Amino acid sequence: MTVIVVSNRVARAKSDEPVAGGLAAALIPMVQNSGAIWVGSSGQTCDNIQSKDCFTEIEALGTGALATVDMPTKHYRGYYEGFANSALWPALHSRPDLIQVGSEDYASYREINAFMARALLRFSDPDAVYWVQDYHFLALGAEMRRLQISRPIGFFLHTPWADRRTMTAVPQHADLVQAMLAYDLIGFQTDEDRQNFEDYLQCELGLSTYDGAVTSSRGLTHLATFPIGIDVDEFSDRATKASTRTEVARLRGSLQGAKLVLGVDRLDYSKGLANRMRAFDRMLELEPQLKRGVSLLQVAVPTRGNIRAYRDLKDELASLVGEINGRHGEVDWIPIRYLNKSFSQLTLAGFYRAAHVGLVTPLQDGMNLVAKEYVAAQNPFDPGVLVLSEFAGAAKQLGAALLVNPHDIEGMARQIAAALAMGLEERRERWHAMVAKLRCSSIQDWFADFLRVLSETRRAPARLATARAAAAPVLLELAGRSAQRH
């Protein structure tokens, strides 16, 4: 079986270079070790490009390979900055107020999906299995079927899937979801995301789910939950090695005995950065004795700077940090160290290990691998404390963290203070519980489980017949209602 993994961008595997995003960090080791071919954009665009000529580079990555493609200049911006990140991203993260979309952007989104489908013909193989990643390619499966690609095609959504009413704020929602049903398997991070999708199918399209599958005009689509994980041992080893790196040693030395609270995020409105800083500010007001004894290091990696919502957020955070530091800071100490830059995975692992508190408080997140990486990076004999948003997918597995409501500034402030004051025995107990959860749901398990289920969707004729038989009365009833209306 040849596995073809498809995403908007691919990433290289150099641990001493920055890696943008949890998807890239998760897929690199899997492609290296599985022999998969990872296909994505090169980051470059080209005029008048033909799909068959679009591959700029195919290079080895362990036992697998990376294949990058140039995208059509005419449509890439409308696809990426337009529909994907100004319509889908805010909707999926429950921010319908930030949705900005036009018909041209949606047309470009569909054009890029169709372009990638044609590019994938290069890898058509009797043994091929296709695994499409994330919201950039919701319609790719439908475009592949249009080209008569009949091999199994799976899709995994790394973001949340919002509630039905939020998703209907995207004008083209019905067309998109109907296109998604061309996939044989759709995977979600949490049961809640999957249930939201099932609710959408029922209420908006009149389609019911039976035994984990839905029958539509496109055939049978299986729906399942696959929480993405990490390689705990690999990340722990990385953190241990990184503790001697220059940047990590400089960080430790600069603290002068103070405790470190750490946040690492893309600069995105879904991450709850402003509320996090307000909570740290409030903690210093509630616990003034902590001043000079603790600092917050917030790494906020710039992203999507051409989109207004991101520029506005950057300005807001810079202003907020200035206000808080001006209020509490002294000539030789500031409460918040705020960095708009990226670091390598190796350096970040060292930062995680140095931090007494990991602060992961998104307003909404599909999983959030930073939370898992922070836990894996800790010293087992003297672990730090994870403060985690209850609205991150990781909270479903890491219940031993200090869970917070990211909208509750006072509550977050008190939990950060509690984390700083927590004794060694309780810290160890919570850490052992979380590590045990991570080991039961590793990145290797995620990769293997999804591909196993995808393969089984084509080898289960009995389940197919059962699901169709169960769906038939409902479909007939809907057809009858439609006939009565007309």
Side-chain angles (χ1 to χ4, degrees):
M1 179 175 71
T2 304
V3 179
I4 312 298
V5 177
V6 189
S7 67
N8 178 59
R9 295 287 295 272
V10 301
R12 269 64 183 179
K14 298 177 181 179
S15 63
D16 58 344
E17 294 182 0
V19 174
L23 185 154
L27 287 179
I28 286 172
M30 292 300 96
V31 174
Q32 282 179 311
N33 300 322
S34 70
I37 300 172
W38 184 4
V39 182
S41 166
S42 65
Q44 303 297 318
T45 62
C46 187
D47 296 323
N48 303 317
I49 192 168
Q50 300 296 317
S51 297
K52 62 182 176 65
D53 301 322
C54 67
F55 283 93
T56 57
E57 189 175 12
I58 300 178
E59 62 182 275
L61 179 62
T63 62
L66 301 178
T68 54
V69 300
D70 289 346
M71 294 290 198
T73 303
K74 180 180 179 181
H75 295 293
Y76 191 77
R77 184 172 182 178
Y79 147 81
Y80 183 75
E81 293 177 9
F83 193 76
N85 287 307
S86 295
L88 286 178
W89 181 269
L92 292 165
H93 289 86
S94 301
R95 289 297 307 270
D97 57 306
L98 295 179
I99 292 175
Q100 293 185 342
V101 61
S103 58
E104 290 184 359
D105 287 342
Y106 183 60
S108 290
Y109 180 86
R110 293 303 298 259
E111 285 288 343
I112 292 291
N113 274 244
F115 177 86
M116 182 59 82
R118 295 192 297 272
L120 290 172
L121 288 173
R122 175 164 181 168
F123 300 103
S124 58
D125 184 281
D127 295 325
V129 172
Y130 299 87
W131 187 0
V132 180
Q133 308 286 328
D134 227 4
Y135 64 100
H136 309 88
F137 289 125
L138 297 183
L140 180 54
E143 299 295 345
M144 293 170 70
R145 296 301 187 210
R146 194 191 308 273
L147 297 176
Q148 306 302 312
I149 295 176
S150 59
R151 295 295 299 162
I153 310 175
F155 174 84
F156 184 78
L157 183 67
H158 290 258
T159 71
W161 183 272
D163 67 87
R164 173 177 59 88
R165 291 190 180 279
T166 299
M167 293 308 300
T168 58
V170 178
Q172 301 84 1
H173 62 92
D175 189 50
L176 268 180
V177 175
Q178 287 168 349
M180 289 176 69
L181 295 176
Y183 289 113
D184 295 294
L185 172 64
I186 301 176
F188 301 89
Q189 296 275 26
T190 69
D191 289 338
E192 182 179 356
D193 297 327
R194 177 178 50 77
Q195 289 162 2
N196 281 345
F197 189 79
E198 291 177 1
D199 180 61
Y200 176 96
L201 293 177
Q202 175 69 59
C203 297
E204 298 299 322
L205 302 182
L207 299 174
S208 297
T209 304
Y210 298 92
D211 193 25
V214 58
T215 301
S216 70
S217 60
R218 294 186 178 275
L220 193 71
T221 301
H222 294 257
L223 311 176
T225 302
F226 302 91
I228 195 169
I230 63 171
D231 186 328
V232 175
D233 293 332
E234 192 275 338
F235 205 88
S236 177
D237 291 343
R238 185 184 298 175
T240 302
K241 293 174 183 175
S243 60
T244 59
R245 285 176 69 89
T246 301
E247 284 180 299
V248 178
R250 287 170 53 200
L251 173 61
R252 289 182 185 273
S254 72
L255 293 171
Q256 298 182 339
K259 291 185 175 181
L260 176 66
V261 178
L262 176 67
V264 176
D265 307 84
R266 284 185 305 101
L267 207 167
D268 193 285
Y269 50 77
S270 68
K271 302 301 181 181
L273 298 180
N275 282 2
R276 182 183 306 175
M277 292 174 180
R278 294 186 182 103
F280 194 78
D281 177 31
R282 180 58 177 156
M283 183 199 70
L284 294 175
E285 293 176 350
L286 294 172
E287 307 283 348
Q289 74 277 7
L290 290 176
K291 291 185 179 183
R292 302 181 63 87
V294 62
S295 288
L296 168 62
L297 170 61
Q298 177 61 58
V299 177
V301 181
T303 184
R304 302 169 190 163
N306 291 330
I307 299 176
R308 180 175 178 178
Y310 290 82
R311 297 196 301 271
D312 291 346
L313 175 64
K314 185 177 182 179
D315 292 343
E316 177 191 1
L317 293 176
S319 177
L320 187 57
V321 170
E323 290 176 12
I324 295 170
N325 285 343
R327 184 159 47 250
H328 298 289
E330 300 178 19
V331 293
D332 59 347
W333 172 79
I334 57 172
I336 300 179
R337 307 178 186 192
Y338 178 58
L339 301 178
N340 283 139
K341 59 185 294 186
S342 57
F343 293 89
S344 70
Q345 282 285 301
L346 190 58
T347 299
L348 287 177
F351 287 176
Y352 294 149
R353 195 173 181 90
H356 299 79
V357 177
L359 201 51
V360 182
T361 57
L363 305 179
Q364 202 76 34
D365 220 336
M367 179 53 65
N368 197 295
L369 293 182
V370 168
K372 296 187 173 187
E373 291 170 351
Y374 175 78
V375 172
Q378 294 309 295
N379 179 349
F381 302 103
D382 187 19
V385 181
L386 176 63
V387 177
L388 178 61
S389 166
E390 63 188 65
F391 301 126
K396 306 296 188 294
Q397 296 172 300
L398 301 180
L402 293 184
L403 299 182
V404 296
N405 180 336
H407 302 282
D408 180 4
I409 305 300
E410 188 90 4
M412 279 199 293
R414 295 190 183 281
Q415 287 290 61
I416 297 169
L420 290 166
M422 188 179 294
L424 179 59
E425 184 176 350
E426 183 179 355
R427 285 188 280 122
R428 284 178 176 171
E429 182 179 342
R430 289 176 179 271
W431 180 81
H432 279 292
M434 289 188 286
V435 164
K437 288 283 190 180
L438 296 185
R439 292 189 188 282
C440 292
S441 183
S442 69
I443 182 68
Q444 293 88 349
D445 293 333
W446 172 78
F447 196 85
D449 288 348
F450 189 97
L451 290 176
R452 174 182 54 77
V453 175
L454 178 57
S455 297
E456 289 174 353
T457 61
R458 290 302 184 91
R459 296 200 303 264
R463 283 187 69 188
L464 175 66
T466 301
R468 285 177 172 164
V474 177
L475 295 174
L476 286 172
E477 181 182 352
L478 290 171
R481 291 179 184 174
S482 177
Q484 289 176 2
R485 286 197 298 268
H486 293 85

